[in-house]
Amino acid sequence: MSEQPSLLPLASVSDLALLREARGLGLAEAAAHLRCSERVLEALEAGKPTGLAPVYQRGFLRRYANLLELDA
């Protein structure tokens, strides 16, 4: 079984949690804004597969980038 590729370059993925914390958002608060579980958000921040279909991963990642005021 093949592992899903990371959605962002490693440097960008590793910065997501730092950017979220810099904006004063906790994990639970950001997950509530995105209407996803904290587990999915943690997986996105770690650059690991979320267990969701790639189209949903991209959608959550795009919404997360907008929440963090990044270029989606």
Side-chain angles (χ1 to χ4, degrees):
M1 193 153 128
S2 65
E3 189 173 313
Q4 293 178 345
S6 175
L7 297 175
L8 292 176
L10 185 58
S12 297
V13 171
S14 65
D15 293 338
L16 288 175
L18 294 173
L19 290 168
R20 174 180 49 77
E21 291 167 358
R23 300 248 185 311
L25 290 171
L27 187 67
E29 185 180 7
H33 276 310
L34 298 175
R35 296 183 182 162
C36 70
S37 72
E38 291 179 34
R39 181 188 60 79
V40 168
L41 194 53
E42 287 174 327
L44 288 175
E45 290 180 348
K48 296 181 180 177
T50 61
L52 299 172
V55 68
Y56 292 111
Q57 289 182 62
R58 284 190 300 272
F60 279 123
L61 193 56
R62 186 177 306 116
R63 290 174 44 211
Y64 194 24
N66 289 332
L67 178 65
L68 298 177
E69 300 174 3
L70 300 173
D71 183 19

